């Protein structure tokens, strides 16, 4: 079987804070690799990767877009599968699922802004999935650009072993090229479109800086490799460029080193060397090695090597629905998949048959007949599919690690404006939820309202735009509301008896149990962290009291009640139930009786288990001129904000604070008013914390009509 040479494949993502230049960089990559013949610009709305109308209108990336291209490096054609991800924190799900299936990443930084909030989020996500990365300091032509300061921030904020392998020639308007610190040559671009560049001697006024930077790089690399260390101390002049590149590659892939480069994507400088570095230093699927998962039949771990000879395995990481089909994006880890072949969905344990395979470029599709290990493609024909499902050869099942998604923190109530809209609303919302795992739809029975929840105001704004523009459903919407949670703080023992006689039937069950907060060990477990379950269920009840076949129904009864807590109908964050004793009717024991008894027992016992209300706190970063800091701090105090730190960077004060989400609706607009438009703010979810008693009373009273605290 003729297969692709996986050593010549790179699966990479481009990620950063909003407005750092991800899409602009990707557009240049497409241009210089020959995929496009005209450079697309975000500000003119003609980009290839930001293809959605909303993206072009707003000038931001909303959904991760994939493409495939080729780059010649060392006289070899390297296949690049590239995913351009959003920078806004509301769409962090797109970064999360992309990094789960990628082998490498370009982390972009604004040469003026440096390490910004979403930069930190992306870096943490890359650490979670052990993704090697190259740092690219973009916008070196921008006023206030400071390459050395950004490198220092990367080292300090991320505790990263990050060192420049390039040095800028000038900054701001004077930026004209870069110095390759390995070759010790200046790279100068020949024209405004940046199609070609040449090497020349390093300018005299930069010789000393470049030499110092190279010495620092050599010393850092020597500490990572024993052979290089010996040469560094005995005869540093004997160290070849290829030896340095080999150590950079090895150390980058092992996450022990981060090479830092620089340029200006908008001014078409620095992209070709960045592509060379991707080929030289980021790993191929072969170098990453096999993927490990659990065999659902044997519960033992198995490994699939990145080879066409292995059984087929892939992970579905993105679903896109349009008028014609359901496109499922998959990363193939092993084996070969032919068009029309049956595969197994390991979540449902059902066979499905693919009708089409596509190579995707943004919103364009090219039909292909097969895919192999290392490919990132889209498939059509899968019906019951969710983001994170493992797809495999029918006879060789395996469950790969799931993708973990954050929970929504903000919601709004909506209702259709017309009867026709009422009929379409439910199916439209189901489709949007299928595409986006961080978008949730619930129905509040108390108020008879449909509640849609997401990661932020912009996220919900985009959802509502899609409803209107893509699904043709007009809705009325309420004010944003916080997604509160509830938590039990004390352990309480309770005995619940169900004894019902109706219609000639008899339901009997008795449960003796403890209920309270989950143990720390459980909270650190994978099953809790991945969202598999939030209930820690312990059974020590003698089986003669309650036979084993009824235990799962008791657990199910408690799990169902966790979705609607005891105070204000909010989801319970986590809970432990310890089943101690019980009784059953040996002549007429029924599973339904135990499930109902568990529900009733929860209602009675949870009231005595110290239930508290929790609210989401946001990590807030405010950038402001010094003269407005006092006003901002006073306003933060009014919003129950908790200032954590201040630092002066690039002539502006950066304020880090935590604040309850409930106090931040419309904050960006309010901040502009307070500071005459001179300050800006970004926020992302931080954690849940207990709501103060006086405010909790108001929230619970609004829900129940009575106070729960006296």
């Amino acid at each position: 079987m003729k297969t692709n040479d996986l050593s010549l494949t790179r699966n990479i993502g481009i990620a950063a804070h909003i407005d750092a230049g991800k899409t602009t960089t990707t557009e240049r990559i497409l241009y210089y690799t020959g995929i496009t013949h005209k450079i697309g610009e975000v500000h003119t709305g003609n980009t290839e990767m930001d293809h959605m109308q909303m993206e072009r209108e707003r000038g931001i990336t909303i959904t991760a877009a994939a493409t495939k291209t080729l780059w010649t490096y060392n006289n070899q054609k390297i296949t690049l599968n590239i995913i351009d991800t959003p920078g806004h924190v509301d769409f962090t799900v797109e970064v999360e699922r992309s990094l789960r299936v990628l082998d490498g990443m370009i982390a972009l930084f604004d040469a003026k802004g440096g390490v910004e909030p979403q930069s930190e989020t992306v870096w943490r996500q890359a650490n979670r999935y052990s993704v090697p990365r190259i740092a690219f300091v973009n916008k070196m032509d921008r006023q206030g650009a400071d390459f050395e300061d950004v490198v220092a921030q990367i080292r300090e904020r991320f505790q990263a072993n990050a060192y420049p392998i390039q040095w800028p020639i000038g900054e701001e308007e004077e930026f004209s090229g870069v110095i390759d610190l390995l070759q010790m040559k200046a790279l100068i671009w020949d024209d405004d479109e940046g199609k070609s560049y040449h090497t020349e001697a390093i300018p005299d006024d930069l010789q000393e800086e470049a030499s110092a930077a190279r010495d620092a790089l050599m010393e850092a690399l020597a500490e990572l490799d024993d052979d290089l260390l010996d040469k560094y101390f005995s005869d540093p002049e004997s160290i070849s460029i290829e030896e340095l590149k080999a150590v950079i590659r090895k150390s980058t892939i092992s996450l022990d080193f981060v090479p830092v480069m620089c340029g200006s994507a908008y001014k078409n400088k620095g992209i070709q060397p960045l592509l060379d570095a991707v080929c030289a230093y980021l790993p191929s699927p072969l170098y990453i090695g096999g993927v490990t998962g659990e065999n659902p039949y044997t519960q033992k771990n198995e490994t699939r090597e990145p080879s066409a000879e292995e059984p087929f395995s892939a992970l579905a990481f993105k679903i896109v629905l349009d008028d014609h089909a359901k496109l499922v994006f998959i990363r193939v880890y092993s084996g070969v998949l032919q068009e029309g072949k049956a595969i197994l969905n390991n979540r449902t344990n059902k066979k499905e048959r693919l009708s089409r395979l596509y190579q995707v470029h943004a919103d364009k599709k090219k039909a292909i007949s097969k895919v192999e290990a290392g490919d990132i493609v889209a498939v059509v024909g899968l019906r019951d599919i969710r983001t994170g499902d493992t797809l495999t050869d029918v006879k060789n099942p395996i469950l790969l690690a799931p993708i973990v998604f954050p929970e929504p923190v903000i919601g709004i109530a909506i209702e259709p404006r017309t009867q026709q809209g009422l009929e379409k609303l439910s199916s439209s919302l189901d489709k949007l939820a299928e595409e986006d795992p961080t978008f949730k739809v619930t129905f509040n029975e108390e108020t008879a309202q449909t509640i849609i929840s997401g990661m932020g105001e912009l996220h919900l704004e985009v959802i509502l735009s899609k409803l209107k523009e893509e699904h043709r459903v007009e809705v009325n919407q309420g004010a944003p509301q916080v997604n509160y949670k509830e938590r039990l703080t004390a352990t309480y023992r309770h005995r619940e008896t169900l004894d019902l006689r109706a219609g000639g039937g008899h339901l009997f069950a008795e449960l003796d149990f403890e209920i309270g907060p989950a143990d720390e060990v459980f909270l650190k477990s994978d099953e809790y962290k991945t969202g598999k379950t939030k209930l820690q269920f312990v059974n020590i009840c003698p089986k003669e009291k309650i036979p084993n076949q009824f235990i799962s129904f008791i657990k199910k009864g408690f799990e169902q009640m966790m979705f609607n807590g005891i105070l204000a109908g909010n989801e319970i964050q986590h809970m432990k139930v310890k089943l101690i004793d019980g009784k059953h009717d040996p002549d007429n024991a029924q599973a339904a009786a135990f499930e109902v008894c568990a529900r009733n027992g929860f209602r009675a016992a949870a009231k005595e288990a110290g239930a508290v209300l929790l609210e989401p706190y946001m990590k807030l970063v405010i950038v402001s001129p010094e003269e407005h800091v006092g006003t901002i701090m006073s306003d933060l105090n009014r919003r129950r904000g908790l200032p954590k730190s201040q630092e002066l960077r690039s002539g502006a004060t950066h304020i880090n604070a935590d604040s309850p989400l409930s106090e931040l609706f419309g904050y960006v607009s309010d901040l502009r008013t307070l500071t005459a438009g001179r300050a800006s703010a970004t926020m992302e979810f931080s954690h849940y914390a207990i709501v103060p008693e006086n405010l909790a009373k108001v929230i619970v009273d609004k829900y129940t009509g009575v106070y729960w605290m006296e």
Side-chain angles (χ1 to χ4, degrees):
M1 181 187 298
K2 184 180 179 181
T3 61
N4 297 328
D5 184 351
L6 282 182
S7 67
L8 303 180
T9 294
R10 303 289 184 272
N11 293 318
I12 64 166
I14 302 178
H17 186 83
I18 190 170
D19 202 31
K22 295 174 301 302
T23 299
T24 301
T25 301
T26 308
E27 292 296 319
R28 270 50 179 185
I29 289 174
L30 298 180
Y31 180 64
Y32 298 133
T33 58
I35 291 292
T36 59
H37 302 291
K38 182 181 178 182
I39 296 176
E41 300 289 7
V42 172
H43 63 273
T44 58
N46 65 341
T47 57
E48 289 280 315
M49 302 303 277
D50 283 354
H51 55 84
M52 291 171 58
Q53 186 63 30
M54 277 182 287
E55 293 178 313
R56 292 181 170 179
E57 288 173 356
R58 297 167 184 265
I60 62 171
T61 302
I62 292 172
T63 181
T67 189
K68 183 175 185 175
T69 188
L70 297 171
W71 181 248
T72 302
Y73 175 72
N74 278 354
N75 297 317
Q76 290 182 307
K77 291 283 187 182
I78 308 293
T79 298
L80 302 177
N81 289 310
I82 303 171
I83 297 181
D84 172 31
T85 65
H88 197 285
V89 66
D90 282 16
F91 310 111
T92 189
V93 60
E94 297 288 343
V95 184
E96 187 79 35
R97 57 181 165 195
S98 298
L99 288 177
R100 171 64 179 81
V101 299
L102 293 171
D103 303 324
M105 179 180 86
I106 300 171
L108 253 68
F109 298 91
D110 185 317
K112 179 182 178 181
V115 175
E116 298 173 280
Q118 185 65 358
S119 312
E120 297 187 45
T121 302
V122 167
W123 200 274
R124 288 196 303 270
Q125 289 170 315
N127 285 344
R128 181 157 61 245
Y129 296 117
S130 300
V131 178
R133 69 218 68 164
I134 293 170
F136 184 75
V137 181
N138 192 29
K139 300 191 176 184
M140 284 301 303
D141 60 305
R142 187 180 179 188
Q143 187 175 359
D146 190 335
F147 178 70
E148 290 183 74
D149 182 54
V150 177
V151 175
Q153 288 180 47
I154 294 170
R155 289 179 188 161
E156 180 183 344
R157 301 283 184 85
F158 304 140
Q159 299 298 299
N161 194 26
Y163 283 85
I165 60 172
Q166 290 180 340
W167 198 258
I169 301 176
E171 290 179 342
E172 302 180 341
E173 292 181 1
E174 303 300 318
F175 178 70
S176 60
V178 299
I179 297 169
D180 184 324
L181 294 178
L182 274 64
Q183 298 184 66
M184 287 302 279
K185 294 284 187 182
L187 310 182
I188 307 296
W189 273 259
D190 299 322
D191 54 64
D192 290 341
E193 286 196 347
K195 277 193 171 182
S196 63
Y197 63 92
H198 66 274
T199 62
E200 59 182 53
I202 298 171
D204 292 340
D205 61 333
L206 290 176
Q207 282 282 357
E208 188 174 335
E209 276 187 34
S211 295
R214 190 177 198 273
D215 288 344
L217 173 64
M218 292 274 285
E219 185 175 341
L221 294 175
E223 292 178 358
L224 297 170
D225 185 87
D226 291 340
D227 293 336
L228 194 65
L229 185 64
D230 290 340
K231 281 193 173 184
Y232 179 72
F233 282 115
S234 61
D235 186 9
E237 298 299 322
S238 68
I239 299 174
S240 69
I241 292 174
E242 291 309 313
E243 285 177 294
L244 293 175
K245 285 184 175 181
V247 174
I248 292 173
R249 176 177 172 78
K250 180 189 73 173
S251 303
T252 299
I253 293 172
S254 65
L255 307 183
D256 294 320
F257 185 77
V258 179
V260 185
M261 308 178 73
C262 61
S264 169
Y266 181 61
K267 291 296 180 68
N268 308 314
K269 293 179 173 67
I271 302 303
Q272 295 95 328
L274 177 62
L275 287 168
D276 287 343
V278 165
C279 299
Y281 306 131
L282 292 183
S284 70
L286 274 182
Y287 204 103
I288 290 292
V291 62
T292 299
E294 182 185 274
N295 185 313
Y297 298 141
T298 66
Q299 277 75 55
K300 293 182 178 179
N301 284 342
E302 296 181 2
T303 300
R304 298 282 189 270
E305 297 297 332
S307 165
E309 306 302 323
E310 289 270 306
F312 170 75
S313 68
L315 191 76
F317 69 93
K318 183 177 173 71
I319 298 170
V320 176
L321 304 176
D322 58 30
D323 295 335
H324 308 292
K326 180 191 294 185
L327 273 181
V328 180
F329 286 77
I330 65 171
R331 160 68 193 265
V332 183
Y333 286 100
S334 64
V336 176
L337 179 62
Q338 302 278 355
E339 185 180 66
K341 184 178 179 181
I343 58 173
L344 178 71
N345 183 328
N346 287 251
R347 175 182 59 85
T348 63
N349 198 32
K350 292 180 180 178
K351 291 193 291 185
E352 300 228 33
R353 191 171 299 277
L354 300 177
S355 57
R356 292 284 187 274
L357 299 172
Y358 291 107
Q359 187 65 60
V360 177
H361 170 63
D363 60 338
K364 303 177 182 66
K365 304 187 292 287
K366 176 185 176 183
I368 52 178
S369 60
K370 71 171 184 176
V371 295
E372 297 184 8
D375 283 337
I376 294 177
V377 297
V379 301
V380 172
L382 300 176
R383 289 167 295 179
D384 185 3
I385 185 77
R386 294 180 191 169
T387 302
D389 282 355
T390 304
L391 307 173
T392 63
D393 178 79
V394 173
K395 295 181 180 179
N396 295 276
I398 190 174
L399 269 171
L400 303 178
I403 306 173
V404 181
F405 298 113
E407 295 185 17
V409 295
I410 182 174
I412 56 173
I414 61 170
E415 61 181 18
R417 292 182 182 174
T418 64
Q419 183 62 35
Q420 183 183 12
L422 178 63
E423 296 167 0
K424 291 182 64 177
L425 180 62
S426 179
S427 62
S428 297
L429 290 176
D430 286 345
K431 289 178 180 178
L432 290 169
E434 189 174 1
E435 288 184 312
D436 184 351
T438 60
F439 172 62
K440 304 292 183 188
V441 182
T442 56
F443 185 75
N444 188 324
E445 294 183 0
E446 298 282 335
T447 61
Q449 290 178 316
T450 298
I451 309 294
I452 60 171
S453 301
M455 300 307 297
E457 291 180 88
L458 179 61
H459 187 194
L460 294 181
E461 191 180 327
V462 168
I463 291 291
L464 291 172
S465 293
K466 286 185 175 182
L467 267 180
K468 180 181 178 180
E469 296 168 14
E470 297 178 11
H471 296 270
R472 301 290 186 265
V473 179
E474 297 268 3
V475 298
N476 296 319
Q477 64 186 79
Q481 56 192 41
V482 173
N483 281 7
Y484 293 98
K485 287 186 182 292
E486 297 177 21
R487 182 196 297 157
L488 307 182
T489 61
T491 299
Y492 179 76
R493 185 165 178 173
H494 176 77
R495 192 171 193 97
E496 182 72 21
T497 301
L498 177 75
D499 193 350
L500 288 177
R501 296 180 185 275
H506 182 211
L507 287 178
F508 176 83
E510 192 168 300
L511 304 176
D512 184 355
F513 61 91
E514 286 182 350
I515 188 171
D519 297 338
E520 282 298 320
V521 173
F522 174 77
L523 297 179
K524 292 177 181 177
S525 68
D526 287 340
E527 61 179 345
Y528 177 74
K529 287 182 177 180
T530 58
K532 187 176 180 181
T533 181
K534 295 175 183 178
L535 174 64
Q536 180 185 6
F537 188 82
V538 179
N539 175 29
I540 62 169
C541 179
K543 61 183 179 181
E544 62 268 18
K545 296 291 187 72
I546 301 179
N548 288 339
Q549 65 262 36
F550 300 117
I551 299 300
S552 63
F553 293 93
I554 297 170
K555 183 179 179 182
K556 180 183 177 184
F558 282 112
E559 281 181 324
Q560 289 174 337
M561 297 306 293
M562 290 184 71
F563 290 104
N564 295 285
I566 202 68
L567 298 177
N570 304 287
E571 184 178 0
I572 291 187
Q573 195 177 43
H574 55 75
M575 186 171 79
K576 178 181 179 180
V577 172
K578 184 177 182 180
L579 183 61
I580 301 168
D581 199 1
K583 291 181 182 177
H584 74 289
D585 182 348
D587 298 322
N588 187 32
Q590 296 185 45
F594 288 97
E595 190 173 325
V596 172
C597 190
R599 292 182 196 168
N600 294 346
F602 170 86
R603 292 189 188 98
K607 294 177 182 177
E608 309 297 331
V612 294
L613 200 63
L614 306 173
E615 63 180 332
Y617 269 68
M618 307 301 284
K619 178 183 176 183
L620 191 62
V621 179
I622 306 161
V623 181
S624 169
E626 177 65 29
E627 60 262 33
H628 294 294
V629 169
T631 305
I632 291 170
M633 287 299 196
S634 297
D635 184 62
L636 272 178
N637 184 59
R638 182 179 65 81
R639 297 172 186 269
R640 297 191 286 133
L642 304 171
K644 298 172 74 176
S645 67
Q646 287 184 46
E647 59 180 321
L648 190 64
R649 281 165 36 199
S650 303
T653 301
H654 291 238
I655 303 167
N656 295 285
D658 287 342
S659 181
L661 174 61
S662 60
E663 306 287 352
L664 294 177
F665 294 137
Y667 179 68
V668 173
S669 296
D670 293 345
L671 181 66
R672 290 196 191 105
T673 303
L674 279 175
T675 63
R678 299 185 66 196
S680 62
T682 57
M683 65 183 83
E684 65 174 307
F685 171 71
S686 174
H687 63 281
Y688 271 88
I690 296 175
V691 180
E693 279 191 26
N694 60 322
L695 296 177
K697 284 185 178 182
V698 175
I699 296 165
V700 174
D701 185 44
K702 185 177 178 181
Y703 177 78
T704 64
V706 294
Y707 288 121
W708 59 279
M709 289 180 180
E710 299 297 337

